[in-house]
């Protein structure tokens, strides 16, 4: 079955880059997503990448995909205190109709 | 674009009562809506997937008679927690997809349910 794993916690200083890592097991994944969740709120889609891409950049966000190793990362440049949140990695696989599997989430703490 | 709302934001109810949560896609037609449940410090657990005009597909272990889902239109889905008990207390989040580009799920802000 499909499984998505992430580290639980990451702490960085304001202005530094943050890199949040994720591994997944389903090689037939079609899309991979990064969502951000602030306390008491729903999930905000940050970015997504097609499985046939290696990299996607969107302003301060860079997504790297290593399909061979089933490894996905999210890099946040010039991390700000407003970036403090929980970041979920998610994969959508081809085996189920639009079903998306989420990782447990990585809590990012930005230290001023 | 791609805004999803939920109502109410939070609700407190007595054990044994039923609670209805609404999920609306405000600026697009959602062919598919999803209902998730999130426990503190945990990831999202998919409860069910619903397509407009048809019965919802429930995930294994989710009681369909307890969690009633209705997806009557392309912009509205409702989740009714029937005969709620304290163990049903949780954060319920809906998502909707239907934009042609990627069928990405767009999430509502969530509903905090507390059952006393």
């Amino acid at each position: 079955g499909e499984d998505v794993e992430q580290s639980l916690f990451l702490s960085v200083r304001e202005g530094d880059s943050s890199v949040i890592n994720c591994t997944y097991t389903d090689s037939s994944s079609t899309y991979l997503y990064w969502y951000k969740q602030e306390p008491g709120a729903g999930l905000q889609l940050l970015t997504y990448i097609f499985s046939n891409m290696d990299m996607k950049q969107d302003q301060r966000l860079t997504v790297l995909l290593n399909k061979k190793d089933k490894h996905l990362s999210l890099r946040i440049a010039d991390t700000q205190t407003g970036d403090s949140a929980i970041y979920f990695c998610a994969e959508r696989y081809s085996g189920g109709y639009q079903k998306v599997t989420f990782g447990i989430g990585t809590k990012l703490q930005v230290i001023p | 674009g791609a805004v999803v709302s939920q109502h109410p934001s939070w609700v407190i109810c007595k054990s044994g009562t039923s609670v209805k949560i609404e999920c609306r896609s405000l600026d697009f037609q959602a062919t598919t809506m999803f209902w998730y449940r999130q426990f503190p410090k945990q990831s999202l657990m998919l409860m069910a997937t619903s397509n407009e005009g048809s019965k919802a597909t429930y995930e294994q272990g989710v009681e369909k008679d307890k969690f009633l889902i209705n997806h009557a239109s392309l912009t509205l889905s409702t989740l009714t927690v029937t005969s709620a008990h304290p163990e049903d207390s949780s954060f319920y989040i809906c998502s909707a997809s239907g934009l042609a580009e990627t069928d990405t799920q767009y999430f509502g802000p969530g509903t905090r349910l507390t059952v006393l």
Side-chain angles (χ1 to χ4, degrees), chain B residues 25-99:
Chain B
S25 57
L26 298 184
D27 51 4
F28 68 102
Q29 293 186 323
T31 51
T32 308
M33 286 187 168
F34 305 82
W35 287 95
Y36 293 86
R37 185 173 179 179
Q38 186 180 33
F39 292 102
K41 297 184 180 180
Q42 292 191 27
S43 189
L44 282 73
M45 182 193 80
L46 179 64
M47 298 174 67
T49 303
S50 73
N51 293 295
E52 184 263 340
S54 59
K55 290 184 179 180
T57 301
Y58 290 80
E59 294 298 301
Q60 193 172 8
V62 178
E63 298 176 61
K64 59 183 177 183
D65 293 331
K66 180 167 184 64
F67 299 99
L68 301 178
I69 291 171
N70 183 282
H71 191 165
S73 76
L74 285 171
T75 59
L76 173 65
S77 175
T78 61
L79 167 67
T80 302
V81 183
T82 62
S83 186
H85 290 283
E87 57 265 30
D88 298 324
S89 299
S90 190
F91 194 52
Y92 292 88
I93 307 177
C94 75
S95 70
S97 68
L99 293 177

Side-chain angles (χ1 to χ4, degrees), chain A:
Chain A
E2 62 283 359
D3 191 22
V4 180
E5 294 189 358
Q6 300 177 242
S7 53
L8 294 179
F9 184 77
L10 175 67
S11 180
V12 300
R13 293 199 177 276
E14 189 175 18
D16 288 349
S17 293
S18 308
V19 179
I20 303 171
N21 294 301
C22 168
T23 57
Y24 59 97
T25 57
D26 196 324
S27 58
S28 62
S29 296
T30 53
Y31 302 95
L32 295 122
Y33 307 90
W34 284 104
Y35 286 90
K36 175 183 180 183
Q37 185 180 36
E38 297 184 14
L43 272 67
Q44 173 195 355
L45 176 67
L46 286 178
T47 186
Y48 62 88
I49 188 169
F50 295 108
S51 59
N52 61 358
M53 296 171 64
D54 298 323
M55 185 183 86
K56 180 177 181 181
Q57 188 159 2
D58 184 2
Q59 299 182 334
R60 292 191 297 123
L61 305 178
T62 303
V63 178
L64 295 178
L65 174 60
N66 182 328
K67 198 170 181 180
K68 174 176 171 291
D69 294 337
K70 300 191 187 69
H71 182 266
L72 182 74
S73 68
L74 173 70
R75 178 177 181 270
I76 305 173
D78 187 25
T79 312
Q80 303 296 307
T81 55
D83 295 325
S84 293
I86 298 176
Y87 291 80
F88 290 93
C89 165
E91 65 165 345
R92 175 182 162 189
Y93 69 110
S94 60
Y97 180 64
Q98 295 189 38
K99 182 175 178 178
V100 173
T101 300
F102 288 84
I104 197 168
T106 300
K107 184 173 183 179
L108 174 64
Q109 178 188 57
V110 182
I111 304 167

